[in-house]
Amino acid sequence: MQQPGFTGRLARLAARHPWRTIGIWSLVLVFGFMLAGNLGDVLTNEGEIAVATEAETADRLIAEHFPHLADDREVEYVIVEGGAISTAAHEFGDTIDALVAELRSLDTVETVLSYRDGAPGLVSGDGTVALVPVTLIADGDAEDLARPVIDAVAAAELPDGFRASIIGNGSVGAEFTHLAEETLVRGELLGISVALVILLLVFGAAIAGGLPLLLAIGAIVLATGMTAIVGQAMELSMFVMNMITMIGLAVGIDYSLFIVQRY
């Protein structure tokens, strides 16, 4: 009789000691779950893009037209559009003054410029759009420093026809984080729900159908915990969680199907 390989011996050992196996895996998953709670501290939304982009062109134009901003400070650019109202109108000027005063009162802001201060190049060619560069303080994460600015712009009471938007490393990072979290939650809910329905249809039993799903969830938890450990030594993208969830569900369910369906 052919001797079983390593996986065969491991399977026999698990079958002879089912409760010990379940206990060990429970401890491993609890440990992985505890480590997973620290994953957010090691993820980043920064990185280099290897192709030419419009954002790269925008960075170059900003450096050319606003050389006084070309230093190590993080800058958020607030764009105020007046529709048909010109920047020369009192209504536009009052709106800019009120917004600038609110931004200057924030603890994370160092300086705020506008065309009302006499700064050149901060009004569009047609005179209906104004740019307000907001330089953030030196210490801190760009996303955290930009959060009060984002909230202030969103809460600004603008006259009818006016619109204010914001762009910068911090605000873009905050939007990336929000979209990644939203996509992750939607993907988990949709993927798990669809997988559960398909598994129930394939196996016709809740236990057999739920086994692959449980294995996939366990793999995701354990992989997240291990990623938190790796993240202490190297920088990881925030999208690693999307990859773990996607691959964990796909591979975990796929290989469980092979085993359960065969035996």
Side-chain angles (χ1 to χ4, degrees):
M1 182 177 179
Q2 184 178 1
Q3 292 296 321
F6 172 75
T7 55
R9 295 194 301 272
L10 188 63
R12 288 185 177 182
L13 181 64
R16 285 197 297 267
H17 306 282
W19 291 111
R20 291 183 183 179
T21 303
I22 293 174
I24 292 173
W25 270 106
S26 298
L27 291 175
V28 170
L29 290 177
V30 169
F31 184 65
F33 185 80
M34 293 171 60
L35 289 174
N38 300 321
L39 183 61
D41 299 332
V42 300
L43 300 183
T44 178
N45 52 36
E46 298 179 358
E48 296 294 332
I49 300 178
V51 296
T53 63
E54 292 181 351
E56 183 181 340
T57 303
D59 283 338
R60 178 176 54 79
L61 292 174
I62 289 171
E64 291 175 0
H65 292 280
F66 305 105
H68 56 289
L69 300 176
D71 55 19
D72 295 332
R73 300 297 177 85
E74 291 290 346
V75 180
E76 293 292 323
Y77 299 91
V78 180
I79 304 166
V80 181
E81 302 171 73
I85 301 176
S86 170
T87 54
H90 289 295
E91 185 178 12
F92 205 122
D94 293 342
T95 301
I96 290 293
D97 290 342
L99 181 59
V100 168
E102 177 65 25
L103 293 173
R104 284 174 176 166
S105 68
L106 300 176
D107 294 335
T108 61
V109 172
E110 184 171 289
T111 60
V112 181
L113 292 177
S114 79
Y115 73 95
R116 301 279 287 177
D117 303 315
L122 297 180
V123 176
S124 64
D126 60 2
T128 61
V129 181
L131 185 68
V132 180
V134 180
T135 304
L136 305 177
I137 60 177
D139 299 328
D141 178 73
E143 187 175 327
D144 294 334
L145 296 174
R147 178 59 61 185
V149 180
I150 298 171
D151 295 339
V153 172
E157 296 181 1
L158 304 176
D160 293 339
F162 279 75
R163 184 177 70 168
S165 51
I166 184 172
I167 187 71
N169 288 334
S171 53
V172 170
E175 186 66 15
F176 276 161
T177 300
H178 171 71
L179 291 175
E181 292 175 350
E182 187 180 68
T183 304
L184 181 62
V185 172
R186 187 188 304 120
E188 286 178 342
L189 293 177
L190 181 62
I192 292 176
S193 300
V194 172
L196 183 58
V197 172
I198 294 175
L199 290 170
L200 289 176
L201 291 176
V202 171
F203 293 111
I207 296 179
L211 182 61
L213 197 58
L214 288 175
L215 180 60
I217 294 174
I220 291 172
V221 171
L222 189 57
T224 303
M226 295 172 65
T227 303
I229 297 176
V230 175
Q232 302 298 323
M234 60 184 296
E235 194 174 72
L236 297 174
S237 169
M238 58 185 291
F239 294 106
V240 71
M241 271 308 302
N242 299 70
M243 297 172 63
I244 289 175
T245 303
M246 179 170 56
I247 297 175
L249 284 174
V251 176
I253 292 175
D254 197 21
Y255 280 91
S256 295
L257 281 172
F258 287 153
I259 297 171
V260 177
Q261 180 69 8
R262 181 174 180 180
Y263 294 104

